[in-house]
Amino acid sequence: MHDTTALLVELGSVILGLGIIGRFAGRIGLSPIPLYLLAGLAFGEGGLLPLGASEEFTAVGAEIGVILLLLLLGLEYSASELVTSLKTQYPSGAVDFVLNATPGAVAALLLGWGPVGAVALAGVTWISSSGVIAKVLTDLGRLGNRETPVILGVLVIEDLSMAVYLPLLTAMLAGVGFAGGSIALLVALGTVGFVLYLALRHGRLISRAVSSDNPEMLLLVVLGLTVLVAGVAQELQVSAAVGAFLVGIALSGEVAEGARKLLTPLRDLFAAVFFVFFGLSTDPSAIPPVLLPAALLAVVTVLTKIGTGWYAARRAGIGSRGRWRAGGTLVARGEFSIVIAGLAVATEPRIGPIATAYVLILVIVGPLTARWTQPVAGRIQAWRGRDGGSGTGSSDTGTGGKEVGVKEGDSVPAGLPAPAAQEEFASSAD
């Protein structure tokens, strides 16, 4: 009974504290994500007041938070839009890999970690945080922006790439031969391909089977199906996040709209728990010794991610302001980077502290760059005598500075704009 009482007191305090932090962040116009992380550091191991009774519950809540974040992200798009995004944005995915995996691999080799450490740290610096970025896009009201499909297209390619990367990394860490690694890779690819096939060919049937006029039944079925698929995906080394995302794209129409409305409050609650848990699981005393190399790596990969987003948005015909917003939004790293570091730490223990410090820096900096990269770039261009705002009149904003094209929460095609729109965008781009 005493343990239950302590659990309730700790959970109540954490949730109440999250509510206060969220309101404070809203008052000052800041995303609450960095504050959630700092709160987790303060109350984690080695912090001001460690929480012990609710640690296991918080860990499960954090996993659910990531799953719900990716599910809601998947509900924004249909399977056909996903395929269109993959077909049109694979060059951006290739540029993303080269620009952002290379710094991590080079840093690991310079630190003397060897090939396995290089592959692991390359993954840490490569993959943006879909969970953090989804929350940032929602907080900033940018779900309807013209550059948002480009951002999500890059994230989709990254997340699906994990179906290839994680089995390969696991095989390298285990020291298995080529045959064992090939089998793991084939299982992962087969799983992703099968789910995509079901979504494309039988998505309507799946939506019809899940559909219900009773909100309670719809919530239970969608949530249960998502958690089940995420667990199976995790068992098959595909990752729970990718599984949840694929469930989201398999649902469409009224089912997707109803599920979004029902699950959004749950997503916000458990997403906050995820960010706090990340802080709770980090020992603050392990950060200072690796802060300098982590900060240098963060600076380099902030620039490379901004370059990735700028390139991807430029390919889609987005104007100058939208390009900078896309680049700044992609900066944050998070859940996948921590998963990769967790897998590698047994073989290369030194990757743990530097990956933690690196992700902590960028998960705090990411929401800030999402908000300020475009205004800062515009001021620099104006200072240099260039017109930093003329490149977005028709492609980014309408009158009064409000985003146009679709309302927040509407589905936006994930591929390139229609030809007429491309011409309009291109004429306004720098």
Side-chain angles (χ1 to χ4, degrees):
M1 183 63 69
H2 175 72
D3 291 340
T4 302
T5 301
L7 172 64
L8 293 175
V9 170
E10 287 189 1
L11 284 178
S13 301
V14 168
I15 295 172
L16 177 61
L18 293 177
I20 295 173
I21 289 172
R23 293 184 64 180
F24 173 73
R27 291 284 181 88
I28 63 177
L30 179 70
S31 171
I33 293 172
L35 301 182
Y36 291 157
L37 287 165
L38 293 176
L41 280 175
F43 295 102
E45 181 181 353
L48 299 176
L49 184 62
L51 301 178
S54 59
E55 182 177 354
E56 185 174 350
F57 180 90
T58 306
V60 175
E63 291 286 340
I64 295 175
V66 174
I67 289 171
L68 290 177
L69 281 167
L70 271 295
L71 170 64
L72 269 291
L73 194 62
L75 288 172
E76 295 291 335
Y77 292 89
S78 67
S80 60
E81 289 167 349
L82 171 63
V83 172
T84 301
S85 177
L86 293 175
K87 288 180 178 179
T88 57
Q89 298 199 49
Y90 69 88
S92 300
V95 169
D96 178 34
F97 172 75
V98 173
L99 287 182
N100 296 285
T102 301
V106 171
L109 293 175
L110 291 176
L111 292 170
W113 292 359
V116 175
V119 172
L121 194 58
V124 170
T125 59
W126 169 28
I127 303 298
S128 297
S129 171
S130 298
V132 174
I133 292 171
K135 186 68 166 61
V136 168
L137 288 172
T138 302
D139 290 341
L140 298 179
R142 294 182 180 175
L143 290 179
N145 279 27
R146 295 291 189 181
E147 73 275 4
T148 298
V150 175
I151 295 169
L152 298 182
V154 173
L155 293 177
V156 166
I157 293 173
E158 288 184 349
D159 289 346
L160 291 179
S161 297
M162 288 294 95
V164 178
Y165 173 83
L166 288 178
L168 289 178
L169 177 62
T170 303
M172 291 181 66
L173 293 171
V176 301
F178 177 79
S182 299
I183 292 174
L185 178 60
L186 288 175
V187 170
L189 290 176
T191 302
V192 173
F194 177 69
V195 175
L196 283 176
Y197 170 80
L198 289 179
L200 284 168
R201 298 296 183 183
H202 307 290
R204 291 184 179 180
L205 294 177
I206 296 173
S207 297
R208 190 179 305 168
V210 172
S211 179
S212 174
D213 294 332
N214 187 324
E216 179 184 353
M217 296 300 103
L218 179 62
L219 174 64
L220 291 174
V221 171
V222 173
L223 183 59
L225 177 64
T226 302
V227 174
L228 175 62
V229 172
V232 172
Q234 186 80 10
E235 183 67 23
L236 296 174
Q237 302 298 316
V238 177
S239 103
V242 172
F245 181 83
L246 293 175
V247 170
I249 65 170
L251 303 178
S252 60
E254 294 182 1
V255 174
E257 181 64 27
R260 273 199 298 268
K261 292 180 180 179
L262 291 171
L263 289 168
T264 295
L266 282 177
R267 176 203 60 186
D268 293 340
L269 170 61
F270 285 103
V273 173
F274 162 70
F275 298 122
V276 170
F277 176 74
F278 180 78
L280 288 172
S281 60
T282 303
D283 185 356
S285 64
I287 294 177
V290 297
L291 196 55
L292 179 59
L296 292 175
L297 192 58
V299 169
V300 172
T301 51
V302 163
L303 298 176
T304 54
K305 272 295 180 183
I306 291 175
T308 296
W310 195 93
Y311 170 81
R314 184 173 182 271
R315 286 192 69 253
I318 307 298
S320 176
R321 295 174 67 182
R323 298 175 197 174
W324 290 116
R325 285 198 298 265
T329 303
L330 285 170
V331 164
R333 272 65 158 190
E335 58 274 6
F336 273 130
S337 298
I338 294 301
V339 169
I340 293 167
L343 290 173
V345 73
T347 302
E348 179 50 73
R350 293 172 293 180
I351 197 175
I354 195 170
T356 299
Y358 171 80
V359 172
L360 183 61
I361 291 170
L362 290 188
V363 85
I364 292 174
V365 171
L368 303 178
T369 58
R371 191 180 189 91
W372 296 109
T373 296
Q374 178 264 311
V376 170
R379 291 182 181 181
I380 292 174
Q381 288 180 346
W383 178 73
R384 295 175 59 187
R386 299 176 58 189
D387 187 0
S390 63
T392 60
S394 61
S395 62
D396 297 314
T397 60
T399 58
K402 295 181 180 179
E403 302 296 337
V404 296
V406 288
K407 297 180 292 184
E408 179 179 341
D410 287 349
S411 178
V412 184
L416 293 174
Q422 290 185 46
E423 294 178 4
E424 181 182 0
F425 291 173
S427 66
S428 66
D430 287 341

